[in-house]
Amino acid sequence: MDITDRLAIVTGAASGLGEVIATHLAGAGARVLLVDTDRDLAEQARERVAAHGPDCAVVVADLVRAEDRAAAVARAVELGGPHVLINNAGGWGLTQFPDAAPEQWQQALELNLVAPMDLTQRCLTPMRELGGGAVVSIASSAGRETGPYGSPEYGAAKAGLIRFTTAVAGTAGDRSVRVSCVVPNWIGLPRALEEFAALPQEVRAVTPAPIRPAVVADAVIACVTDDTASGRVVVLEGAPPGSMAAE
């Protein structure tokens, strides 16, 4: 897919990995619709992203809310898209399962799994009408591991996102919409780099180094632009233990 002047939705785009992905898309010629809960941060990110390519737009949305998800897709349609959907937004609350109340851990499932599925479904028809499109979701190594994890609900949601990608490939493919996902290990954003550097030397020596955000963004762009990327799961393990960042 040539994404020049195509409209790409990026969720969680006001900072961190989402902004990096949005910047890479803009640099490749795409128009980007930045979706985030924080208007001020999103507008600041829009200016930075737009400096690398076509003008961008912002939608303020809490993706836990179905009506906000619908509004984000509706805005993309108004702007002539969407051609691309990047399901990047994610995270979890301060209290985890089993200590979290049901409504708390269910919100993590809503944000990390239900929202990407719902946004994908909402984008299928307009993408088909535009001749096709690409969906890329950001999963996590937390969804592939089998050991204990600090947020069971997050790990379960990311595992579900990986399986959703492979399961939906044929269905979405019939509509000329390719669905894939990128599964990174620890991403080298500022907080992660600080936490990695603070690990005891003996732990850091056996822990894969954080992956540079640009590497993740490049993997996303590859999935978007490769017309054979349907049901593709791209695993990014990170640099060998003892390194400071993955290349």
Side-chain angles (χ1 to χ4, degrees):
M1 175 191 290
D2 180 0
I3 61 175
T4 303
D5 203 37
R6 303 289 181 91
L7 185 76
I9 300 172
V10 181
T11 66
S15 61
L17 180 61
E19 183 181 343
V20 174
I21 293 172
T23 300
H24 276 59
L25 286 165
R31 295 178 293 126
V32 183
L33 179 61
L34 291 82
V35 179
D36 205 279
T37 57
D38 191 313
R39 180 180 296 278
D40 290 341
L41 285 179
E43 289 290 353
Q44 293 168 22
R46 183 195 65 77
E47 293 182 6
R48 294 190 294 268
V49 171
H52 294 268
D55 196 13
C56 305
V58 166
V59 167
V60 177
D62 180 353
L63 296 181
V64 171
R65 298 163 52 91
E67 55 268 38
D68 283 18
R69 299 192 294 259
V73 175
R75 180 58 178 148
V77 171
E78 291 175 358
L79 294 172
H83 302 89
V84 175
L85 167 65
I86 310 298
N87 289 310
N88 167 74
W92 60 82
L94 297 177
T95 307
Q96 312 305 313
F97 184 95
D99 298 321
E103 58 270 20
Q104 292 176 306
W105 60 259
Q106 287 168 15
Q107 280 201 338
L109 294 179
E110 188 80 23
L111 175 62
N112 293 284
L113 179 59
V114 175
M117 292 178 65
D118 185 31
L119 287 168
T120 299
Q121 186 176 38
R122 291 177 186 277
C123 286
L124 287 176
T125 295
M127 283 182 175
R128 184 178 71 245
E129 292 174 348
L130 291 167
V135 177
V136 183
S137 298
I138 306 300
S140 168
S141 59
R144 298 178 62 243
E145 297 166 352
T146 58
Y149 191 74
S151 176
E153 56 271 44
Y154 179 82
K158 292 301 186 179
L161 192 56
I162 295 169
R163 184 64 183 108
F164 168 71
T165 298
T166 58
V168 80
T171 302
D174 293 340
R175 296 172 172 82
S176 300
V177 177
R178 296 177 288 103
V179 180
S180 56
C181 75
V182 176
V183 189
N185 207 322
W186 212 356
I187 301 173
L189 296 166
R191 186 175 68 178
L193 291 175
E194 291 176 5
E195 292 176 356
F196 182 77
L199 290 173
Q201 176 60 39
E202 62 274 17
V203 175
R204 192 165 63 246
V206 297
T207 302
I211 302 163
R212 290 189 298 113
V215 172
V216 183
D218 285 342
V220 170
I221 297 293
C223 288
V224 169
T225 57
D226 185 349
D227 290 336
T228 69
S230 179
R232 179 176 297 174
V233 176
V234 179
V235 176
L236 302 176
E237 295 285 6
S243 305
M244 276 306 295
E247 295 298 326

